[in-house]
Amino acid sequence: MTPTADLVIVNGRVFDGSVRTGHTAVAVASGRIVRVGSDERVRELAGEDTRVVEAAGAVIHPGFVDAHAHAVFAGVERLSIDLTSAASVDETLELIRAGAERTTSEWVTGGGWSHELLPMPTRQQLDAIVPDRPVALSDAGHHTLWVNSRALELAGVDRDTPQPHNGHVHVDEHGDPTGYLNESAAELVGRVVPPSTDDEMHAGLLNAQEYLWSLGVTGWHEAILGEYNGKADATPAYLRGIAEGSVPSAVSGALWVPPGLTVDEVPALVERFVGLRERNAAAGFDTSTAKAMIDGVPHGETAALLEPYCTHSDDGFAGELHFDEAAIREFVTRLDAAGFALHLHIMGDRGIRVALDAIEEARAANGSAPRHHIAHLSMVQPDDARRFGTLGVTANIQGLWAAPDPFVVSMIGEERMLSGYPFRTMADGGAELAMGSDWPVSPADPWLAIHVVVNRWAPLPPGVEAPPLPAGVEPPTLDAEHQSLSLEQALAAYTSGSSSLVLGRPGRIRVGERADLAIATADPFALPAAALVSVQTAVTIVGGEVVFER
């Protein structure tokens, strides 16, 4: 006998995680879906104490699952100095000034500043605001650190500091550091920044969870667990939140493989990861994924390319991998054999090819294995894009990035720009799709990402204008039909695709499934594609409980 519902949602259109159905209503009891059907059939389960939620014709869908987020880092940043809202240089500097005045900590930290507003910020700009305390601020992409003179002094970084592998300490015409450090150079200062305390990390996690709920996100995958670039390990925050019940969202995480790992170090890393996986699983936290950053980012010319950057046609520089190829093959094969799914950050086409070759070698050595996934996918050769389906590698899509970027075209050229993010080629080749935001690197709003994946264009942030292009270079344009996904494909990737990949559960609106649901402010299937950017989340439900209402 079907129980009386605790919650019924009526007058909507149900997207079940795969297709838009003819159903209009959903009933929930004891945290599970107990009926999906017409309003009349679902209302039969309503009792005196049943809560009825009116969907007003909007789509009812499985909760979004973010397959690549740094939720704890984002929450800590939101509670410190969050520069993501700044629409001008002056606003950025004013937020820093106000944040420095608020905190009594020795170090002034935060992040989210925009490269588009501040292509090459300087220590002098920060010295004018905070001359006597060290300041360290991550960029929005979290691959670059902007610091003041005091921070450089405490880190011992000066004109005599050698340039690190896979990083750059930018210097002025006198040879002195400018305060702009990218990739591994950021760690020169990051290692002396006091890490956040366990209480700060836990507070950041709860702040992030509440914000993600407002976007319809009911679960996510923490993409780095371990010490990274001066940041503390987020694992204790999750274990505490799960133990005390303050994190009812469905979560999982990826253990961090540090750049520069050598072949000889791989066995010890695998043994350590096996122990961590068992300990965390016993506490209810799935960490059966290992995350490695195979290369960097095009903005910093640290993505590993098959052909040189356009800005390096004279010296042939094409970026570098963060590991020796032999080490990549070794840790992929050994982690695969130990049952770990690989979550690989890759943005350059050389990095993609090296990783796919390593996965193919692991498949040959070990047979069937967990679902490995590659995130970002900004440059992928067509033949390599078709290998994803053959090798069973999931495309972990960061949809907001899948639009022509005028800030990068001068570095990689229009041809590579327009052939990037080949989602349709991957899907047509049989690849499974998942979606995530990489928040706080980019906004966590799933509907905005879905808009970009479907339309293949995105508006610039408020107050930002595209920079002038070099002589003879035309603005990049892209036929949306070239590599766009359908709305159905995109919404499925961000719900059931991500859920099955990183949470190991179907993520569908079906009887018996956990009631992690969201209601949009409209039915996106009834809108023109260009209007998808207007869709928001009206209601979010986690485990049968309404946790957000707009």
Side-chain angles (χ1 to χ4, degrees):
M1 179 177 178
T2 305
T4 300
D6 303 316
L7 171 74
V8 297
I9 308 167
V10 297
N11 191 25
R13 287 301 298 267
V14 174
F15 177 84
D16 70 356
S18 179
V19 297
R20 180 176 182 261
T21 71
H23 301 310
T24 61
V26 179
V28 175
S30 300
R32 297 279 170 179
I33 297 169
V34 293
R35 183 169 291 176
V36 183
S38 66
D39 286 5
E40 181 181 20
R41 284 277 294 143
V42 167
R43 283 185 183 274
E44 291 174 355
L45 300 183
E48 183 178 340
D49 297 324
T50 300
R51 179 173 181 179
V52 179
V53 175
E54 168 66 47
V59 74
I60 307 164
H61 63 86
F64 292 116
V65 174
D66 194 317
H68 185 116
H70 305 279
V72 175
F73 297 161
V76 169
E77 200 165 90
R78 281 167 54 85
L79 294 172
S80 57
I81 300 179
D82 182 4
L83 304 175
T84 55
S85 64
S88 68
V89 173
D90 287 344
E91 282 188 31
T92 302
L93 297 176
E94 182 53 38
L95 286 170
I96 297 169
R97 187 190 316 278
E101 291 175 354
R102 279 197 312 271
T103 181
T104 58
S105 301
E106 178 192 3
W107 281 78
V108 178
T109 60
W113 55 269
S114 164
H115 276 279
E116 285 73 39
L117 296 175
L118 291 150
M120 195 68 69
T122 67
R123 58 186 168 86
Q124 288 87 351
Q125 289 170 293
L126 296 177
D127 291 346
I129 300 172
V130 189
D132 54 346
R133 288 187 290 165
V135 181
L137 304 168
S138 295
D139 68 320
H142 291 73
H143 287 258
T144 300
L145 205 59
W146 176 21
V147 302
N148 69 349
S149 297
R150 181 60 177 150
L152 290 170
E153 178 186 350
L154 290 175
V157 177
D158 56 26
R159 61 169 53 216
D160 297 320
T161 300
Q163 294 292 347
H165 179 66
N166 284 337
H168 192 68
V169 178
H170 289 260
V171 297
D172 59 23
E173 65 273 18
H174 305 295
D176 294 315
T178 63
Y180 180 94
L181 310 99
N182 69 346
E183 297 296 349
S184 61
E187 298 177 16
L188 299 176
V189 173
R191 66 192 181 195
V192 300
V193 179
S196 299
T197 66
D198 286 349
D199 285 345
E200 289 169 338
M201 300 282 274
H202 181 251
L205 173 57
L206 298 187
N207 179 280
Q209 176 177 247
E210 186 172 359
Y211 177 69
L212 290 169
W213 285 346
S214 76
L215 302 173
V217 177
T218 59
W220 64 89
H221 180 68
E222 185 72 39
I224 292 179
L225 294 173
E227 294 181 1
Y228 167 72
N229 199 18
K231 294 179 172 64
D233 181 8
T235 303
Y238 280 99
L239 297 180
R240 174 177 169 183
I242 292 168
E244 68 184 25
S246 59
V247 181
S249 302
V251 293
S252 66
L255 303 175
W256 175 237
V257 180
L261 183 78
T262 66
V263 169
D264 292 341
E265 294 169 334
V266 170
L269 176 126
V270 174
E271 182 179 4
R272 180 168 66 87
F273 277 15
V274 168
L276 290 172
R277 179 176 61 188
E278 293 175 355
R279 184 200 71 182
N280 294 335
F285 187 34
D286 177 13
T287 58
S288 55
T289 301
K291 165 72 178 293
M293 196 173 290
I294 299 298
D295 67 355
V297 294
H299 280 85
E301 297 184 341
T302 54
L305 312 184
L306 291 168
E307 300 292 336
Y309 284 92
C310 296
T311 45
H312 286 274
S313 57
D314 55 341
D315 60 18
F317 179 72
E320 297 176 305
L321 299 170
H322 286 182
F323 306 86
D324 291 338
E325 288 192 33
I328 294 173
R329 292 194 300 271
E330 185 73 7
F331 73 66
V332 167
T333 297
R334 284 183 176 265
L335 286 167
D336 176 279
F340 285 93
L342 275 300
H343 179 161
L344 304 177
H345 159 120
I346 312 176
M347 299 199 73
D349 49 6
R350 181 189 171 207
I352 292 285
R353 183 162 296 172
V354 168
L356 291 175
D357 287 347
I359 291 171
E360 185 170 20
E361 187 175 306
R363 290 275 193 255
N366 303 325
S368 60
R371 285 174 59 186
H372 304 314
H373 42 122
I374 296 178
H376 309 330
L377 311 164
S378 67
M379 282 172 275
V380 187
Q381 293 293 317
D383 287 346
D384 288 327
R386 287 184 278 270
R387 296 173 68 192
F388 276 66
T390 303
L391 293 173
V393 177
T394 299
N396 189 329
I397 294 168
Q398 283 61 64
L400 271 176
W401 306 356
D405 186 343
F407 301 99
V408 178
V409 67
S410 62
M411 300 175 187
I412 64 173
E414 187 172 10
E415 183 177 351
R416 282 185 288 194
M417 171 67 68
L418 298 184
S419 62
Y421 304 100
F423 304 147
R424 181 173 293 185
T425 298
M426 293 174 176
D428 289 348
E432 297 188 6
L433 308 178
M435 287 182 71
S437 64
D438 205 2
W439 184 53
V441 172
S442 52
D445 184 354
W447 283 114
L448 182 56
I450 288 171
H451 164 87
V452 177
V453 166
V454 172
N455 292 287
R456 296 304 290 248
W457 60 265
L460 288 169
V464 176
E465 295 183 2
L469 295 172
V473 176
E474 295 296 323
T477 57
L478 180 66
D479 177 1
E481 291 299 313
H482 180 52
Q483 288 293 349
S484 63
L485 296 177
S486 68
L487 171 59
E488 196 169 73
Q489 285 175 309
L491 188 52
Y494 226 133
T495 54
S496 60
S498 291
S499 184
S500 63
L501 177 68
V502 300
L503 299 179
R505 59 178 64 172
R508 299 285 180 89
I509 297 182
R510 292 182 179 172
V511 172
E513 298 294 339
R514 175 173 144 133
D516 288 346
L517 307 166
I519 306 170
T521 54
D523 180 359
F525 293 94
L527 297 176
L532 289 174
V533 69
S534 68
V535 181
Q536 296 178 293
T537 293
V539 178
T540 304
I541 297 157
V542 173
E545 298 292 329
V546 175
V547 295
F548 170 78
E549 293 180 87
R550 186 166 298 282

